[in-house]
Amino acid sequence: MNSPSPMLPPASLDDDALAHALASGAAEVLLALRAEVDAAGGSFVAKEVKDAGDAAAQAWLAAALAAARPDDAVLSEEAKDDASRTRADRVWIIDPLDGTREFAERPDAEAPAGQWRDDFAVHVALWQRGAGLTSGAVALPARGQVLTTADGLVPGDDSAAVLAGDRPLRIAASRSRPPEFVAALAERPDVELVPMGSAGVKVLAVADGTVDAYVHGGGQYEWDSAAPVAVARSRGLVCTRLDGSELEYNRENPWLPDLFVCPPALAPRLRELLDTVGVASVVGVDSKEGAQP
């Protein structure tokens, strides 16, 4: 798989614009790989497509960051970690392909070429010392979308309907392996699970109002949440650990297993629901959705 690479973004871009360009460029790389598979007849080996996607998006992002911000440090899922980043003032936290399973999957194994899953993402975030996450972009390549921290607040949400009992609380969840406490919540008549793919897709589903919340326990690293959290916060959402503590980034150990995302009006209600299933006992503990090596 040797698709043409997008042009590297210029160093003159500000950080918000660069985050957008980086996420967009990696998205273009990933879609080009799928197009190659389709052009070759549509048959493929999922592992090969996953590996190719991870490698190609990582290579392009690494080259783009080296050209545009050569003095910045980088923390990436697909690159060897350099502990010196913890002393840096600026660190880009990236996940070149969030949702490798979804990237290399068609809803129907016999589906014709072009009918791929669309719930995968590219994450690009900038962390700065003393300010935390300052810029971020999440691309949803198969949906042709890039959401960034520069987009601004989204007016209003539908929290009042949930609080009034007019409809259930919709929670984004893994389509195959939701954490046990999330599955327990789904047994309630006032809660509805909405299955979807990658962590980035789930957080952005809260940001655009498709669902009301995303809660996760176990199986994540900083690159899984940094960019989605940056975008969600820029839209006024509450983003914390499950126990309400702050999300911290650019730590020596990038393991950050749990996440709580919802509109401010729903946060107290959602925390009450989590208390009913003993969520405090699972904070930081491995779950079915993943485990720390």
Side-chain angles (χ1 to χ4, degrees):
M1 296 183 178
N2 298 299
S3 301
S5 292
M7 290 183 60
L8 299 181
S12 58
L13 295 178
D14 65 29
D15 291 332
D16 285 332
L18 179 59
H20 186 287
L22 291 169
S24 298
E28 188 176 336
V29 169
L30 293 169
L31 292 179
L33 287 173
R34 279 185 166 183
E36 283 189 22
V37 173
D38 292 338
S43 60
F44 63 93
V45 177
K47 185 180 185 307
E48 294 178 358
V49 173
K50 293 176 185 178
D51 292 346
D54 280 333
Q58 168 62 31
W60 187 86
L61 284 168
L65 281 167
R69 296 292 189 273
D71 296 327
D72 291 355
V74 180
L75 170 63
S76 172
E77 179 179 16
E78 299 302 327
K80 184 177 179 181
D81 192 11
D82 183 347
S84 66
R85 66 172 169 77
T86 61
R87 300 187 295 275
D89 291 331
R90 291 169 51 93
V91 182
W92 292 89
I93 303 175
I94 64 175
D95 188 344
L97 173 52
D98 178 55
T100 52
R101 176 187 303 177
E102 288 76 19
F103 172 68
E105 184 176 328
R106 292 193 177 114
D108 181 345
E110 302 301 322
Q115 294 185 13
W116 299 84
R117 292 191 67 91
D118 67 358
D119 47 349
F120 67 99
V122 176
H123 298 176
V124 177
L126 174 63
W127 174 92
Q128 297 192 65
R129 188 170 304 282
L133 299 174
T134 56
S135 297
V138 178
L140 305 180
R143 300 179 186 178
Q145 296 178 310
V146 182
L147 281 73
T148 79
T149 46
D151 295 337
L153 290 173
V154 175
D157 61 56
D158 196 29
S159 300
V162 176
L163 295 174
D166 295 335
R167 68 167 177 81
L169 176 74
R170 302 166 302 188
I171 299 179
S174 169
R175 58 195 173 92
S176 59
R177 300 171 297 168
E180 290 183 3
F181 71 91
V182 174
L185 283 177
E187 296 177 2
R188 298 178 55 96
D190 55 351
V191 173
E192 175 188 350
L193 295 193
V194 182
M196 55 185 69
S198 74
V201 169
K202 294 184 183 79
V203 175
L204 292 195
V206 185
D208 68 16
T210 300
V211 297
D212 303 302
Y214 173 44
V215 287
H216 174 83
Q220 288 188 343
Y221 289 85
E222 291 185 17
W223 49 73
D224 291 309
S225 67
V229 162
V231 172
R233 283 178 173 167
S234 74
R235 294 185 168 215
L237 297 180
V238 174
C239 301
T240 68
R241 298 285 302 270
L242 282 175
D243 62 2
S245 60
E246 287 296 314
L247 294 161
E248 297 180 4
Y249 293 91
N250 194 35
R251 301 163 307 150
E252 182 175 357
N253 181 355
W255 176 247
L256 189 59
D258 52 82
L259 183 61
F260 175 103
V261 180
C262 75
L266 287 180
R269 174 58 177 158
L270 182 54
R271 294 200 188 281
E272 288 176 4
L273 291 174
L274 291 173
D275 286 344
T276 67
V277 293
V279 72
S281 66
V282 301
V283 173
V285 177
D286 298 342
S287 79
K288 287 185 176 180
E289 199 166 275
Q292 181 179 17

